[in-house]
Amino acid sequence: MRSRLWVFGIFIFWAVVTPVALLIFAFCREPILGDPHNPAARLLPRGSILDRNSVVLAMTAPDGSRRYPLGAAGSITGYVDRLAGIGGGLERNYGDSLIAKRTNRFWYFSRAGEPGDSLRTTLDARLLSACDEALGERKGAVVVMKLNGELLSVVSHPSFDPNKVGKEWQSLKNAKDSRLFNKAVQGFYPPGSVWKIISSIELLDREDRSFMCQGGIKIGDKLFRCPHPHGRVLGLADAFARSCNSYFISRGMREIKNRDFVAASKGFTTGMHEDRTGTNYALALIGQGPVLLSPMEAAVLAATIASGGKKPQPVYLKKEVTLNEVMPVEKARRIQSLMTGVVLRGTGRGMMSLVRQGRVLGLKTGTAEAEISGGRKTNIAWVVGFAGKKAVPEIAFALLVEDTDLYAAEVCLPLLRGILDTYLSSGKVAGA
Ligand SMILES: [Zn+2]
């Protein structure tokens, strides 16, 4: 009797438990195929990665190796290599789309050895190359997006050539300049005067007033300097355009509640430190000290202002677009006006010729001090803003240059000019 029970038990196990386990295995298997940790994924044939106009950014060659026609765009495409594996960018994040769809669910390898579907991204190859050329040998990052969050260009320098990742793997892994790291997304930097956009959001609702800038303001025993004495500052628009630190610290310390500023800041950055009191609060009002920002977050901030208060999620695929209304349209328009004022009469005057051509352009420059290895002081320079071919903003951008002695207006604006010229001369990008 007992032996019959054993046989029955084994029968039940095989009849019920095994099929259920196989089903779970089969349904869980598909995501594993595209998982970058799966050692077999690097050997599977993949579909091509395309830009928004079907320009090939990544493809599988007849010998099975992965090719990247744009070369230096490694920080955005990522790489697939038999030796180095799968890393970075689109190859890593969209592995499932690129290889899984035509793959046998029960086996690692594609049944017919076919690649997966192509992935058409929102990127623009011309703009990627323009951003890459603009940064040249400089360290930094650029993000350009449509106002709904569709990313047109994401560039991080120094970068790497994904075609050579296998040959150069050891030196890439050990490189001190972290060129495998995508600064545009993962790098956090003091935003400097770019953060006056946030301070302005809080000041706009209050009565405006003029201010006499003597070149600095003392809070406690610490002196906060302007680059030079601004003299009579006529109000918020003038202080914003000329980027007067004394004005923003003076009014901010008296009129903006710390918690309101922190709440406004947190909506746009994940990089706020905890200590935001006393002189640290004064620093935060001008984008130093407790505030850190990534170039991607900076571009999202600019897109939110330019779109009339709708905050986009930055995306690489059109179908993933989402927008959240975070600011009244009237307030966003008033900040747009502060930012166009920077070009008309402030630190962005070097870009005035674009406005004369009938383009819309609004921006904010920012230069933050940073200390790098060996205690050496250096500047982090930003320009963040929006532009359009006619009177309506179409794109938002953030451009960052690290390790420079120059101010943002000197180092960033000429680079931005090259990028905007490429965008503005293209008939396809905005509407595509
Ligand atoms: Zn000043």
Side-chain angles (χ1 to χ4, degrees):
M1 185 65 189
R2 180 162 290 204
S3 66
R4 277 190 190 175
L5 270 176
W6 269 105
V7 171
F8 185 68
I10 291 167
F11 174 77
I12 290 292
F13 182 85
W14 281 108
V16 178
V17 178
T18 307
V20 168
L22 275 171
L23 278 172
I24 292 170
F25 175 77
F27 280 101
C28 293
R29 187 79 172 195
E30 193 164 5
I32 293 171
L33 287 169
D35 190 312
H37 301 295
N38 168 16
R42 69 187 70 173
L43 302 172
L44 290 168
R46 291 182 163 229
S48 299
I49 300 175
L50 309 172
D51 89 337
R52 64 193 302 118
N53 301 313
S54 301
V55 176
V56 175
L57 304 177
M59 58 182 284
T60 299
D63 68 357
S65 64
R66 201 71 169 149
R67 293 275 173 263
Y68 301 89
L70 231 57
S75 52
I76 183 66
T77 56
Y79 56 87
V80 178
D81 180 82
R82 283 174 191 176
L83 176 69
I86 301 169
L90 301 165
E91 294 279 28
R92 187 182 176 93
N93 293 333
Y94 292 99
D96 280 337
S97 313
L98 289 163
I99 65 176
K101 284 184 179 159
R102 295 184 193 167
T103 305
N104 186 331
R105 191 182 287 281
F106 291 98
W107 191 239
Y108 275 123
F109 296 96
S110 156
R111 250 183 302 211
E114 289 174 38
D117 290 341
S118 291
L119 184 74
R120 185 194 288 269
T121 66
T122 57
L123 293 165
D124 183 86
R126 275 188 71 204
L127 216 49
L128 277 168
S129 298
C131 294
D132 186 48
E133 279 166 29
L135 277 178
E137 296 298 310
R138 290 184 181 83
K139 295 184 207 166
V142 188
V143 176
V144 185
M145 64 171 68
K146 288 180 71 173
L147 302 189
N148 65 1
E150 290 177 30
L151 289 160
L152 297 170
S153 178
V154 181
V155 169
S156 171
H157 268 207
S159 188
F160 62 95
D161 184 343
N163 296 297
K164 298 178 186 165
V165 109
K167 278 187 206 149
E168 298 174 354
W169 184 237
Q170 282 310 320
S171 62
L172 273 174
K173 249 191 344 181
N174 301 324
K176 283 189 178 151
D177 58 17
S178 317
R179 50 186 63 214
L180 291 171
F181 178 77
N182 187 347
K183 294 171 183 175
V185 181
Q186 299 160 297
F188 285 83
Y189 305 85
S193 295
V194 166
W195 218 233
K196 286 173 185 158
I197 296 173
I198 299 293
S199 306
S200 299
I201 293 172
E202 293 300 307
L203 288 176
L204 273 174
D205 294 334
R206 295 164 174 81
E207 189 190 344
D208 206 357
R209 61 190 69 181
S210 62
F211 176 82
M212 182 58 76
C213 169
Q214 314 276 8
I217 185 167
K218 211 165 179 188
I219 302 292
D221 55 359
K222 190 170 168 56
L223 179 66
F224 295 85
R225 292 182 188 283
C226 285
H228 56 85
H230 286 107
R232 189 157 193 80
V233 173
L234 298 175
L236 180 61
D238 194 24
F240 189 91
R242 297 161 70 190
S243 213
C244 178
N245 290 340
S246 307
Y247 176 95
F248 278 89
I249 292 173
S250 166
R251 279 198 69 191
M253 295 290 280
R254 276 185 285 122
E255 298 176 43
I256 308 175
K257 285 190 182 134
N258 191 315
R259 67 165 187 271
D260 292 340
F261 178 76
V262 169
S265 299
K266 279 194 167 171
F268 291 101
T269 178
T270 49
M272 285 287 282
H273 294 176
E274 285 309 310
D275 182 8
R276 301 177 293 261
T277 52
T279 52
N280 260 334
Y281 183 39
L283 279 170
L285 287 161
I286 56 168
Q288 299 250 165
V291 187
L292 293 172
L293 190 69
S294 73
M296 186 65 78
E297 288 176 330
V300 167
L301 170 62
T304 306
I305 304 297
S307 69
K310 294 191 186 81
K311 185 181 172 189
Q313 180 72 27
V315 295
Y316 293 102
L317 304 183
K318 274 190 181 192
K319 65 180 181 188
E320 293 177 350
V321 165
T322 55
L323 290 158
N324 284 316
E325 208 165 312
V326 296
M327 192 185 296
V329 65
E330 187 51 38
K331 189 168 258 191
R333 290 218 174 108
R334 290 175 70 190
I335 299 167
Q336 283 177 27
S337 162
L338 292 179
M339 292 173 77
T340 50
V342 173
V343 183
L344 298 177
R345 56 181 177 278
T347 55
R349 278 190 307 273
M351 305 293 281
M352 190 60 190
S353 57
L354 286 180
V355 178
R356 287 200 197 99
Q357 290 168 14
R359 321 292 198 181
V360 62
L361 177 64
L363 56 86
K364 184 76 197 83
T365 55
T367 309
E369 285 179 5
E371 207 171 278
I372 54 174
S373 55
R376 187 164 65 86
K377 289 214 164 149
T378 180
N379 286 343
I380 289 168
W382 293 83
V383 60
V384 169
F386 55 83
K389 289 173 182 152
K390 293 183 179 167
V392 182
E394 296 163 8
I395 57 164
F397 54 81
L399 187 156
L400 169 103
V401 175
E402 284 180 85
D403 198 3
T404 174
D405 298 331
L406 302 171
Y407 280 98
E410 299 165 306
V411 65
C412 294
L413 294 190
L415 311 188
L416 177 66
R417 181 67 202 236
I419 294 165
L420 290 183
D421 280 347
T422 300
Y423 171 75
L424 296 168
S425 66
S426 156
K428 284 185 93 174
V429 177

